[in-house]
Amino acid sequence: MTELLISEASSQATGSVPAGQLLAEQVNALVEQLMDSADATGAPLAGEGGLLQQLSKAPLERALETEVTEHLGYEKNDPAGRGSGNSRNGT
């Protein structure tokens, strides 16, 4: 679904509205849908396992993974790092 929203935002980008603004609007709409869904199902918004925790966890983990990839100079599971002395340890 995220790919669809990004694709729609890029295809709608014209000279009048910046692509970043369109993407931000799509993200806001998606967050509203998630919150409505959580309300409808009784899922918690805050606390352990809540929507806020889940929405925070994914981008933070992605950012950390990107940071370690840039620091080490090779992608996860790439054999280039094996035996180099500067390899991932799985944690």
Side-chain angles (χ1 to χ4, degrees):
M1 177 160 192
T2 310
E3 294 82 10
L4 176 62
L5 292 175
I6 292 169
S7 173
E8 287 176 8
S10 352
S11 67
Q12 293 173 5
T14 63
S16 61
V17 180
Q21 181 180 345
L22 283 171
L23 187 56
E25 290 170 5
Q26 294 287 334
V27 168
N28 288 336
L30 180 58
V31 168
E32 285 297 322
Q33 289 176 356
L34 290 170
M35 290 178 63
D36 290 344
S37 178
D39 288 341
T41 61
L45 294 177
E48 187 69 30
L51 181 61
L52 180 59
Q53 181 186 32
Q54 293 176 39
L55 288 174
S56 301
K57 181 180 177 184
L60 287 174
E61 286 182 352
R62 182 115 183 230
L64 290 171
E65 184 64 34
T66 300
E67 183 179 6
V68 78
T69 295
E70 288 181 18
H71 174 73
L72 295 176
Y74 63 91
E75 295 292 325
K76 187 175 184 175
N77 299 320
D78 188 342
R82 292 193 185 123
S84 69
N86 194 17
S87 58
R88 298 171 189 254
N89 65 5
T91 60

